[in-house]
Amino acid sequence: MSIGTLSEEVLKRLSKMLDNSTCGWRQLANAVSEQRKFRCSERELTTCSLQVLSAAGSPGRTLLAWLADRSCSLDFLLHCLRKIDHHEAVQYLTSTVAELIQITVQPQSQQASAGGRVVLTCRASGPAGISYQWFRGKEEISDETGSAPELIMCPLASVHQGHYICRVNHGDNFVFSQWAQVRCILSAGCSSTLFAGSVSGLCVTLQPQSQAVSEGDTLLLECDAEANPPAQYEWYHNTVPIKQNKTRSLKIPCVTTANRGEYKCKVFNLYHEAWSDMATVTIGPSSITETHWVEGKRGRDTQDAPWQTCRPGMNPLQQMANPPPASKHFHATDKVALLIGNMNYVYHTQLCAPIADVHELTNLLRQMNFKVVSLLDLNWQEMHSAVTEFLLLLDKGVYGLLYFAGHGYENFGNSFMVPIDAPASYTSEHCLCVQNILTRMQQKQTGLNVFLLDMCRKRNPNDDVIVQTGLLKVTANIVFGYATCVDAEAYEVKREDVSNGIFISFLKRRVCEDEKVTVMLDRVAEDMGRCEITRGRQALELRSNLSERRSLKDRIQTPACSESQSARNLQWAVAHDLPKSCCLQFECGVKVQLGFAAEFSNIMVIYTRILEQPKEIISCSAQLTDFPEDIEVDLKKSNQETLLEAGSLILIQEDLLSPEVPSLYTRIRGLQRLRRELTFTMCLHYTYSNMDEEVQERRAVTVGKPLVSKLNLHEPRAPLASASSSSSLDSFDVPECSSLTKAFASVSSSDAWSYYAQTGTQSSVSDSSTASRSANVPEETDSCEFFESPKPLVATKSLPHSHANETNYKFSDMYNFHSH
């Protein structure tokens, strides 16, 4: 049994026992280091020590959480507690383990012929008086076999098919087993009868055939069966039922790459069930260019008229002699993107790659004139509010792109993004449903909707609720790029400095290609398929109904009525406004420059550097302190001489400041939680040549609400309905304007220009492409009277393109996102 099986109450009590200096967490950390995988680094030990600075912090709880993440067993923990002679903790843990229920035999999925015998077994150890409850789906099996550790089904019939689970109880405590599936196998495509004389068997007489078709063609699959009573039909695509079709023929009039895969048909009646053979459908490149389709009228003379493929006024021979013009060039009215990377989960495995993945994709999208909001480590409320603000940036013809890297899962065809504050056994109530976000995007009449989900798609056993998503419109403009397949995990490539996800490692080589989005993602899938370590573990899955050749590189053409464009530019620019650089003059004669750089939309770097100091002062430094509790500042990494020491793996110091001028850097995270203006203290430390003691001067500094803090993402955007509706984003009934746009309701389109001049933002409302490139690029604001304008910050020390070669990957480098 792992430490992770202990309840939070038990872990808190153990932590109190370990939070002491004589026989506590530090001695336990030394004891567990006898096994290499549990050895803590100096950095991790320091992090444990710093927990005492927080009112609710506990070094012991932090250590136990790390051990749980590394799958440390309770036996080894007891061994180490005995090793350090912590008798109180040993006695408490021993008594606690004795009362824990541990399943020793899990039920296994089985299949047998109709009329056969199936036995599901679940056994558990623990205190006396353990009882068992069996369930088929949500229904409890209440007969005499439902309360025994063995569930017997004999004779096996089709009504027994389904998923089974066992609940093991002792008093108020209980645990669930894993799910087990029971299938009734019918031989040779024909069922056997259980009711002699009254009915006949069921036999499949026509099997669906494998096909290769092109994009835009019609796919027709047929299945037929002889049965009494008459048979019913249910089609499946890649094991997922197609609910819209219940007939013997499956017809898809205009196929896309999302329709490729494996198809089969379930044939059944009241007494029998049988499955057809598997039919594999491959989708090739489209054989149709810019053809004008005219539907044949279904009058008396054209009852069976086919679809016409000729342009009006031309017969087929003229059509062949005069081919249609080349595909027209598409454009966007604007391009906006929301990128979320969740790494530091409270109750789940910590991730490494999202910081680099979000940063690299941000820079690449900016090159294609996307307005990008990039956010790290959001809780549920912040994700909810961020998506609401993102929806406000959308309008008719806008290209919208949402990228999420973090923990996730997929149940019943719906994908869920997991916030950092999701509990250990989270459900859809604690997550955001992607399909419901898509529904709200479609209400904006967007020109292109792209979702890139870099997360696991394993099923969540804690969640059996089927979220009812909104009805999707037939817009033919949706593209889903899943980093992995259904019921599979997504992986990261661990590096010493900055890690990358497998998906982004390949996507960044292709995303700027001037190709149809689906074609570009297909090439990414092919690149991943050639990588040795991902083969059989992770494969990109593409779902799309995109009917036009729309590319992420399409140009922006603002419509004549551009008030909405100006409003979007203002909305976006306010969320990326950095404080202006300033100079502070101290009484001792020292002049200090205070500057700011954006790493992400919610992460900012503040630097200080000495511009002038009197000759009699031999040493001088300006340090920042007294930050508000809303934001996250690592005190151990603040006021560092390099950006790397300050915790920034993205910005490059040489591009931020002149290396000849010494500076101190402080990195501020979680700006989305800032509830008031950012206020801190600059503390000037200096020493005179004729004095040994150091002198200090302090100056309070207020810089307003920088970057995304202006959006107040910590505030609810709409009244939450029921738990199920809020989790599925039914509360995303986005008003016409958010709290931010209301604040600017009195600002006319002409006033927007003066706002830019006042804030010093480097973007311009007049030119959307210029605004995207300049205001989105991570930047600093400097006082121009002292230094020249800085260079734009270049991206990154993360995995370069050449490292995506499979020969440079090692299996030991790769670890997954652990969906739940």
Side-chain angles (χ1 to χ4, degrees):
M1 297 178 67
S2 168
I3 294 178
T5 60
L6 297 176
S7 67
E8 186 62 28
E9 180 181 354
V10 172
L11 289 171
K12 286 182 178 179
R13 188 163 176 185
L14 273 177
S15 302
K16 290 182 179 180
M17 299 177 186
L18 293 172
D19 287 342
N20 64 81
S21 57
T22 55
C23 182
W25 66 271
R26 194 174 290 274
Q27 288 75 22
L28 178 61
N30 291 331
V32 298
S33 63
E34 69 178 56
Q35 289 195 17
R36 185 181 183 87
K37 64 178 180 178
F38 301 133
R39 191 172 299 163
C40 293
S41 65
E42 286 298 324
R43 181 179 177 182
E44 290 171 330
L45 292 175
T46 302
T47 303
C48 285
S49 300
L50 291 176
Q51 296 300 313
V52 297
L53 299 178
S54 172
S58 168
R61 182 66 183 87
T62 303
L63 176 63
L64 290 175
W66 280 339
L67 293 176
D69 285 342
R70 297 168 187 176
S71 302
C72 178
S73 67
L74 291 176
D75 286 340
F76 183 67
L77 178 61
L78 275 169
H79 162 73
C80 294
L81 290 172
R82 294 189 184 100
K83 186 176 179 180
I84 64 174
D85 295 326
H86 201 311
H87 303 294
E88 181 187 10
V90 169
Q91 183 179 1
Y92 174 68
L93 189 57
T94 302
S95 60
T96 300
V97 171
E99 296 181 1
L100 289 177
I101 303 172
Q102 181 182 4
I103 295 180
T104 55
V105 178
Q106 294 279 2
Q108 303 296 318
S109 296
Q110 298 185 44
Q111 57 186 24
S113 301
R117 184 172 185 267
V118 166
V119 179
L120 298 179
T121 304
C122 177
R123 298 192 183 277
S125 62
I130 288 178
S131 63
Y132 300 84
Q133 285 178 280
W134 285 93
F135 296 82
R136 179 170 61 242
K138 295 183 179 180
E139 298 180 2
E140 182 180 0
I141 300 174
S142 57
D143 58 23
E144 58 183 15
T145 62
S147 58
E150 294 182 341
L151 180 64
I152 303 173
M153 287 165 274
C154 183
L156 183 67
S158 59
V159 295
H160 292 131
Q161 290 197 133
H163 289 82
Y164 292 78
I165 195 171
C166 184
R167 171 172 159 156
V168 186
N169 307 283
H170 181 263
D172 294 333
N173 298 325
F174 62 88
V175 294
F176 280 100
S177 72
Q178 67 185 20
W179 286 95
Q181 183 180 11
V182 173
R183 293 184 59 192
C184 180
I185 302 301
L186 305 169
S187 58
C190 298
S191 70
S192 59
T193 179
L194 301 178
F195 303 89
S198 60
V199 294
S200 66
L202 183 153
C203 187
V204 177
T205 58
L206 177 63
Q207 301 283 0
Q209 302 298 312
S210 297
Q211 300 181 37
V213 294
S214 300
E215 284 189 278
D217 290 349
T218 298
L219 173 65
L220 179 63
L221 296 172
E222 294 182 295
C223 179
D224 202 359
E226 294 179 355
N228 184 23
Q232 301 180 55
Y233 301 86
E234 185 174 18
W235 287 90
Y236 286 76
H237 176 214
N238 293 333
T239 72
V240 178
I242 304 174
K243 298 180 181 180
Q244 296 85 354
N245 195 292
K246 300 291 184 181
T247 63
R248 60 179 294 275
S249 299
L250 174 64
K251 185 176 182 180
I252 302 175
C254 186
V255 298
T256 67
T257 53
N259 300 120
R260 62 187 171 195
E262 296 177 335
Y263 291 80
K264 62 179 179 179
C265 184
K266 183 173 75 172
V267 187
F268 61 96
N269 58 21
L270 183 61
Y271 307 105
H272 312 288
E273 176 184 299
W275 289 87
S276 72
D277 294 339
M278 188 79 71
T280 302
V281 174
T282 57
I283 309 295
S286 175
S287 59
I288 304 169
T289 56
E290 190 70 7
T291 306
H292 293 261
W293 293 80
V294 180
E295 183 176 3
K297 297 181 180 179
R298 289 193 169 269
R300 181 175 58 187
D301 298 329
T302 57
Q303 186 70 28
D304 298 319
W307 288 71
Q308 306 298 317
T309 59
C310 297
R311 285 179 283 172
M314 298 182 68
N315 60 39
L317 293 177
Q318 290 175 317
Q319 177 74 30
M320 294 174 63
N322 299 279
S327 299
K328 74 171 189 176
H329 185 76
F330 296 97
H331 67 270
T333 57
D334 204 354
K335 298 195 285 189
V336 297
L338 173 63
L339 277 55
I340 299 176
N342 285 346
M343 303 169 55
N344 298 304
Y345 282 84
V346 180
Y347 305 106
H348 302 281
T349 308
Q350 307 295 294
L351 304 178
C352 299
I355 181 172
D357 292 346
V358 169
H359 182 75
E360 291 194 36
L361 187 56
T362 296
N363 283 343
L364 292 170
L365 291 174
R366 282 171 178 156
Q367 293 175 26
M368 296 182 285
N369 297 325
F370 272 84
K371 293 181 175 68
V372 184
V373 176
S374 57
L375 301 167
L376 292 187
D377 292 331
L378 302 186
N379 60 32
W380 185 91
Q381 181 59 65
E382 293 158 359
M383 288 182 68
H384 184 282
S385 300
V387 173
T388 303
E389 294 292 338
F390 171 65
L391 293 173
L392 291 170
L393 293 174
L394 302 181
D395 202 354
K396 185 175 182 180
V398 173
Y399 287 11
L401 183 146
L402 188 147
Y403 169 79
F404 174 75
H407 287 307
Y409 70 95
E410 184 171 308
N411 276 14
F412 308 106
N414 291 326
S415 303
F416 297 90
M417 304 180 293
V418 180
I420 63 169
D421 61 342
S425 300
Y426 55 76
T427 64
S428 58
E429 178 182 359
H430 310 102
C431 306
L432 272 72
C433 178
V434 173
Q435 280 69 23
N436 269 321
I437 298 175
L438 175 61
T439 304
R440 302 318 194 268
M441 291 179 70
Q442 286 191 323
Q443 293 173 0
K444 301 288 186 175
Q445 300 180 11
T446 43
L448 176 65
N449 298 315
V450 179
F451 283 77
L452 302 176
L453 298 178
D454 200 351
M455 65 185 196
C456 295
R457 297 174 66 193
K458 300 283 286 185
R459 194 189 183 287
N460 183 356
N462 301 313
D463 188 7
D464 58 359
V465 176
I466 301 178
V467 175
Q468 299 298 326
T469 61
L471 295 176
L472 294 179
K473 300 178 181 179
V474 182
T475 55
N477 64 358
I478 302 170
V479 178
F480 275 98
Y482 294 95
T484 190
C485 297
V486 176
D487 203 29
E489 293 173 315
Y491 290 86
E492 298 177 340
V493 176
K494 193 170 184 179
R495 300 291 179 185
E496 293 181 359
D497 47 5
V498 178
S499 299
N500 271 114
I502 289 290
F503 178 45
I504 291 295
S505 296
F506 290 97
L507 178 67
K508 65 185 181 183
R509 302 162 60 188
R510 299 281 191 183
V511 70
C512 290
E513 293 180 352
D514 189 10
E515 295 284 357
K516 184 179 177 182
V517 180
T518 52
V519 174
M520 179 271 292
L521 290 173
D522 268 333
R523 292 176 179 175
V524 175
E526 293 170 1
D527 294 342
M528 290 177 63
R530 287 190 288 268
C531 180
E532 182 64 33
I533 67 168
T534 58
R535 192 173 300 136
R537 295 174 178 83
Q538 179 177 345
L540 172 65
E541 181 174 330
L542 176 63
R543 295 184 183 179
S544 169
N545 65 6
L546 183 61
S547 61
E548 298 171 329
R549 190 195 175 281
R550 294 192 178 268
S551 166
L552 297 181
K553 292 203 72 174
D554 289 346
R555 294 184 178 182
I556 297 175
Q557 292 185 11
T558 307
C561 182
S562 60
E563 291 184 3
S564 59
Q565 171 82 1
S566 298
R568 283 195 301 273
N569 282 339
L570 178 61
Q571 173 92 342
W572 177 86
V574 168
H576 289 79
D577 181 33
L578 280 167
K580 295 187 67 175
S581 177
C582 61
C583 294
L584 300 182
Q585 186 74 47
F586 286 83
E587 293 181 0
C588 63
V590 173
K591 181 182 286 187
V592 181
Q593 185 189 14
L594 186 66
F596 308 86
E599 186 173 310
F600 292 90
S601 299
N602 63 337
I603 298 180
M604 180 174 69
V605 173
I606 305 178
Y607 62 86
T608 62
R609 52 185 172 185
I610 308 299
L611 297 180
E612 298 177 7
Q613 69 182 63
K615 294 181 180 179
E616 59 270 20
I617 294 180
I618 58 175
S619 65
C620 185
S621 66
Q623 300 184 9
L624 307 180
T625 184
D626 299 336
F627 288 96
E629 295 182 356
D630 299 345
I631 58 177
E632 301 175 35
V633 179
D634 190 338
L635 298 179
K636 192 173 181 61
K637 292 184 178 181
S638 61
N639 301 300
Q640 297 296 314
E641 295 182 355
T642 67
L643 281 163
L644 186 61
E645 292 174 331
S648 176
L649 304 177
I650 302 301
L651 301 180
I652 297 178
Q653 180 170 337
E654 287 72 14
D655 292 309
L656 181 60
L657 294 174
S658 173
E660 291 81 14
V661 182
S663 305
L664 296 181
Y665 303 91
T666 300
R667 187 169 178 259
I668 299 177
R669 298 173 296 162
L671 287 174
Q672 74 276 9
R673 303 186 184 109
L674 187 64
R675 296 175 181 268
R676 58 189 65 85
E677 290 189 334
L678 177 60
T679 301
F680 52 89
T681 301
M682 180 184 290
C683 186
L684 183 68
H685 302 258
Y686 57 93
T687 306
Y688 287 103
S689 58
N690 57 351
M691 296 177 59
D692 294 332
E693 295 185 1
E694 184 179 78
V695 183
Q696 292 186 16
E697 284 189 41
R698 300 171 68 88
R699 179 78 66 85
V701 180
T702 300
V703 296
K705 299 190 75 175
L707 300 178
V708 79
S709 63
K710 289 187 178 67
L711 296 183
N712 297 320
L713 298 184
H714 54 83
E715 296 179 353
R717 285 311 193 262
L720 298 180
S722 63
S724 61
S725 65
S726 65
S727 66
S728 62
L729 289 183
D730 285 346
S731 57
F732 266 120
D733 295 328
V734 182
E736 288 301 318
C737 57
S738 68
S739 57
L740 178 66
T741 52
K742 287 178 182 177
F744 287 92
S746 59
V747 179
S748 66
S749 58
S750 61
D751 291 332
W753 311 88
S754 60
Y755 172 80
Y756 279 85
Q758 294 168 6
T759 59
T761 306
Q762 296 180 3
S763 60
S764 170
V765 181
S766 61
D767 187 335
S768 61
S769 64
T770 304
S772 294
R773 278 195 298 269
S774 60
N776 255 321
V777 172
E779 62 190 54
E780 62 150 341
T781 56
D782 257 334
S783 178
C784 59
E785 58 182 301
F786 295 102
F787 295 94
E788 297 179 356
S789 298
K791 302 175 183 177
L793 297 179
V794 296
T796 165
K797 292 164 50 181
S798 57
L799 187 65
H801 296 177
S802 59
H803 287 188
N805 190 312
E806 59 190 77
T807 59
N808 290 332
Y809 285 140
K810 299 178 181 178
F811 285 94
S812 59
D813 291 336
M814 191 171 67
Y815 55 101
N816 59 32
F817 279 180
H818 300 292
S819 56
H820 44 262

